[in-house]
């Protein structure tokens, strides 16, 4: 029996959405999307939250977001930028 290997698709096509707990991936996506135009060190958490909510693959309840999660996302983004 041979196995058929399916071609890979982007996360969005697979329905692999991001949740607030995906801080590493969210930070990387924000860097990829806004790395040349926004300094993550200067963002207020309200601005960071809005940027996360605007990511195409992000799908989670805005009420589940807290300061610790936003701090973690910001640190990933800063690390990616350095």
């Amino acid at each position: 029996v041979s196995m058929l290997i399916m071609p890979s698709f982007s996360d969005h096509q697979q329905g692999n959405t991001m949740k607030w707990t995906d801080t590493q991936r969210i930070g990387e996506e924000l860097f990829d999307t806004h790395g040349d135009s926004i300094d993550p060190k200067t963002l207020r958490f309200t601005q960071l939250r809005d940027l996360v909510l605007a990511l195409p693959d992000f799908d989670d309840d805005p009420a589940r977001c807290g300061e610790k999660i936003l701090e973690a996302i910001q640190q990933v983004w800063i690390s990616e930028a350095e």
Side-chain angles (χ1 to χ4, degrees):
V1 175
S2 65
M3 295 193 67
L4 177 65
I5 298 175
M6 299 298 294
S8 62
F9 296 96
S10 75
D11 288 341
H12 187 69
Q13 289 170 318
Q14 291 179 357
N16 189 3
T17 59
M18 291 180 283
K19 303 294 183 191
W20 287 114
T21 53
D22 298 317
T23 56
Q24 180 71 35
R25 184 168 163 221
I26 292 170
E28 291 169 357
E29 290 286 327
L30 288 169
F31 173 73
D32 291 345
T33 305
H34 303 290
D36 294 334
S37 59
I38 298 175
D39 180 355
K41 296 176 187 173
T42 63
L43 283 176
R44 294 187 311 258
F45 280 156
T46 53
Q47 294 170 310
L48 179 57
R49 180 180 175 272
D50 290 344
L51 290 173
V52 173
L53 292 172
L55 289 171
D57 289 338
F58 184 80
D59 183 26
D60 203 352
D61 182 354
R64 297 188 63 193
C65 173
E67 189 172 316
K68 289 195 182 294
I69 289 173
L70 291 171
E71 284 176 1
I73 292 168
Q74 185 181 40
Q75 286 304 311
V76 170
W77 189 354
I78 291 169
S79 295
E80 289 290 315
E82 292 178 344

